[in-house]
Amino acid sequence: MNQADINAVLTLMTLGDPYVKPRTESDYWLYAKLFSSTTPLTFIDGQLVGVIVAFRSQDNPSEIYVQDVMVRPNFRRRGVATELLNSVIAQGQAWDCRRLFLTSEPENNAAHVAWLSYGFENLPGNMIERGVQVQSDYKGPGKHRAIYEYRIVSPSRGHGCRERWDDPATPHSSPLRS
């Protein structure tokens, strides 16, 4: 992501309601300036169709936290999220990171199914909601979250999220760009 992409990212993020909400323009400036290597974008035919916002932990540099994943609704289940996740995983491998993790609202069943299909594990929490392990108050009082983890392995042992949702009949017309 670079600064020229901020307006397109803001527009794309407005399509994520109720689970993904746009942040401020200054937040995206920060992501473009300081976290561009873990904030990849996918463009198809010149249109922004997907973005991941992720950060390498400064307190534990072996971890990358995924803040947001957003794919334009008419491009879902076409491999865009897989491509973006694999880009973040590859960067994690280059940094010798061991863990990619994210959180989701317990009621977001589509996210739960997606994360499991990509090879993430729903980590044990202190309660179960709708069949999902959840940690109560994880992001503050009343903000319960399901926590998902993907173990990053070295390139020699293989890597990358599963491609279960890729549609080989729908090739990408332009490459991933971060």
Side-chain angles (χ1 to χ4, degrees):
M1 180 168 145
N2 61 53
Q3 292 175 16
D5 300 315
I6 291 172
N7 286 333
V9 171
L10 274 165
T11 299
L12 178 62
M13 292 300 199
T14 64
L15 304 175
D17 197 46
Y19 300 112
V20 176
K21 295 183 177 21
R23 299 177 195 288
T24 69
E25 190 172 335
S26 63
D27 289 329
Y28 292 112
W29 175 88
L30 180 75
Y31 306 154
K33 194 76 172 161
L34 301 178
F35 301 104
S36 62
S37 59
T38 54
T39 305
L41 309 174
T42 296
F43 289 85
I44 296 178
D45 294 331
Q47 178 183 36
L48 178 63
V49 298
V51 61
I52 286 184
V53 177
F55 315 102
R56 183 179 188 190
S57 172
Q58 292 183 354
D59 294 332
N60 186 350
S62 68
E63 297 183 342
I64 296 174
Y65 176 72
V66 177
Q67 172 85 22
D68 290 316
V69 177
M70 183 62 205
V71 174
R72 190 171 292 279
N74 57 325
F75 284 90
R76 291 180 184 158
R77 295 186 174 226
R78 294 166 119 186
V80 174
T82 300
E83 181 178 325
L84 292 164
L85 284 165
N86 284 336
S87 174
V88 175
I89 290 166
Q91 183 60 59
Q93 287 176 317
W95 287 334
D96 201 26
C97 293
R98 301 280 182 216
R99 177 180 189 234
L100 182 70
F101 75 105
L102 55 90
T103 64
S104 182
E105 289 84 350
E107 65 275 8
N108 189 346
N109 188 60
H112 177 73
V113 170
W115 302 131
L116 295 179
S117 76
Y118 292 132
F120 282 76
E121 177 186 354
N122 178 209
L123 296 180
N126 60 1
M127 60 186 194
I128 297 176
E129 288 187 22
R130 298 174 182 84
V132 177
Q133 290 282 335
V134 175
Q135 183 62 47
S136 61
D137 302 324
Y138 188 76
K139 288 195 168 181
K143 295 182 179 179
H144 312 318
R145 295 294 185 267
I147 305 167
Y148 297 89
E149 176 183 77
Y150 182 90
R151 289 289 181 179
I152 299 174
V153 296
S154 70
S156 63
R157 293 185 297 179
H159 70 88
C161 289
R162 296 178 190 157
E163 309 238 351
R164 177 174 174 260
W165 288 356
D166 284 354
D167 180 358
T170 311
H172 294 262
S173 60
S174 65
L176 172 82
R177 176 170 75 79
S178 54

